[in-house]
Each structure stands twice: as C-alpha cells, then as structure tokens.
Amino acid sequence: MDKYLAEFIGTFFLCFAVCVAAALGAAGTDAAYAIAFTLMAMIYAGGPISKAHFNPAVTLGFILRGKIDRRDIAPYLIAQFAAGILASLLALFVFKQEREIELVILSGGDILPALVAEILFSFALVWVILHVATYSPTAGNQWFGLAIAATVLGGALTVGTYSLAVFNPAVAAALVLVGKLCLTCIWIPVMGSLLGGAGAALTFKFMHPKE
C-alpha cells in the first residue's frame, strides 16, 4: 500500500504544479522551473518507496523493462490517474479564482509538431529514468532525481510552445479537466508519451541485452 500512496502523492503534486503554475499561470514564465523542482522533490521522496513513476508512460517503460511486479501495474495506474484528477479539481475550484485559462486546441498543422515533441521528450524522459534508476552501472547514485527533473525542464523549455510539454497521460487528463487542453486533443500527449516511453524501453533493452 505504501507504494501506491507514494505514487498518488508524487503524481498529485506534479499535476497540481502543472495546473496551478502553468495552466493557471501562477508562476508566469517560471512555470517550467516550478514543475521541475516539484517533480525532483517528489522523486527523491518517493523513489525509495515506489521507484517514483508518477507517470503511466514511465510505468509502461518499467513493464517492458521487466522492473515492476504485474500485481502493481493496475494500482499504479489507478493511483496516478486518481491523483491527476484530484489535483486538477483542487486547482480549478480553489485556486482558479479570477484567473482566466486559455484553452489550447491542437489541430491541423499543429498536430504533427505536437505529436513529435511528445514522442521525443517522452522517449528522453523514460530513457533517462531507466538509465539512472534501473541500470546496474548507476545503481545507488544520488543524482537520479536531478537528471529526471532536468529532462522534464529541458523538454518544457524546448517544446512547451508546441505541445504544452505534457509527456504524461495523467498530466494530460489533469490539463483537460482544468480546461487548458481540449478533450479532442488528449490523444496527442497520451499517444505521444506512450509511444515515446515504449520506444525508450525497447531501445534500452537493445542497448543493454544483459540487463
């Protein structure tokens, strides 16, 4: 149960930071930093308990990597999505106040750049996680949280204007519920993150067959 609670707490604060700092604009141009630092703190806290997935795409990477018990898959996913939903509702009903949320609608020529952005940086995120958290030569390192958060920060600063830098299906659900991402657009970050995560795991296995 501790693992599932850790996944819920970590995912909640990640999604809450995304909703308040970015979607509601509370952090202004510093939103990416607020999100990355919140994620890093949650990773260091939850990593020893649940491996700090906080993301269904990361869980998929761990499944393909063979680093998660099958009994944990459904509870992890439930905890992640439940946390995203609760975080978005709390942000919307308590912290929105007079702030206006600009709905992002990705369509036409916006779709390809957004999808490619989500695939590439979801690949980068899961690839980094698998190397710093599951690779034997880096076992016991103390910089795993910094590396993972830096990947999210780099992705947000690089492609945030193209795809909102979601990289996470639970975050995508939270952004839809808070009114930042259109419902018909949710397939872009969901598909992009899952394809990127799966690609990263398969690439890891190809590069390190003995692992």
Side-chain angles (χ1 to χ4, degrees), residues 111-121 159 188:
I111 292 178
L112 183 60
L115 182 59
V116 171
E118 289 294 309
I119 292 173
L120 289 178
F121 274 94
V159 299
I188 297 173

Side-chain angles (χ1 to χ4, degrees), residues 102-138:
E102 181 181 354
L103 179 66
V104 172
I105 302 175
L106 299 171
S107 62
D110 297 330
I111 292 178
L112 183 60
L115 182 59
V116 171
E118 289 294 309
I119 292 173
L120 289 178
F121 274 94
S122 295
F123 177 99
L125 175 60
V126 176
W127 194 73
V128 167
I129 290 172
L130 293 178
H131 276 90
V132 300
T134 75
Y135 188 36
S136 56
T138 61

Side-chain angles (χ1 to χ4, degrees), residues 2-211:
D2 288 350
K3 293 182 290 186
Y4 312 143
L5 184 57
E7 281 297 300
F8 179 89
I9 292 171
T11 309
F12 172 86
F13 279 100
L14 170 60
C15 292
F16 184 76
V18 170
C19 289
V20 177
L24 297 181
T29 57
D30 295 325
Y33 296 94
I35 295 164
F37 281 119
T38 299
L39 175 60
M40 180 167 61
M42 290 298 109
I43 289 171
Y44 279 119
I49 304 171
S50 71
K51 302 302 180 184
H53 295 194
F54 308 153
N55 183 340
V58 174
T59 299
L60 175 61
F62 271 69
I63 292 170
L64 296 176
R65 173 82 170 86
K67 287 293 184 178
I68 183 173
D69 191 309
R70 291 184 178 181
R71 294 173 296 181
D72 289 333
I73 295 173
Y76 267 48
L77 297 176
I78 292 171
Q80 291 159 3
F81 280 108
I85 292 170
L86 180 60
S88 64
L89 295 178
L90 184 64
L92 186 62
F93 292 109
V94 178
F95 292 91
K96 181 182 178 182
Q97 298 177 351
E98 299 302 318
R99 294 180 182 272
E100 293 296 326
I101 301 177
E102 181 181 354
L103 179 66
V104 172
I105 302 175
L106 299 171
S107 62
D110 297 330
I111 292 178
L112 183 60
L115 182 59
V116 171
E118 289 294 309
I119 292 173
L120 289 178
F121 274 94
S122 295
F123 177 99
L125 175 60
V126 176
W127 194 73
V128 167
I129 290 172
L130 293 178
H131 276 90
V132 300
T134 75
Y135 188 36
S136 56
T138 61
N141 71 83
Q142 298 300 311
W143 39 262
F144 61 96
L146 176 60
I148 296 166
T151 307
V152 172
L153 176 60
L157 295 175
T158 303
V159 299
T161 57
Y162 295 96
S163 70
L164 295 181
V166 182
F167 317 144
N168 185 331
V171 170
L175 288 174
V176 169
L177 290 172
V178 85
K180 181 64 177 179
L181 181 68
C182 71
L183 179 59
T184 56
C185 303
I186 194 173
W187 69 271
I188 297 173
V190 170
M191 179 180 291
S193 61
L194 293 178
L195 287 175
L202 295 176
T203 301
F204 180 96
K205 294 177 70 174
F206 176 78
M207 293 173 63
H208 311 295
K210 294 183 180 180
E211 286 284 321

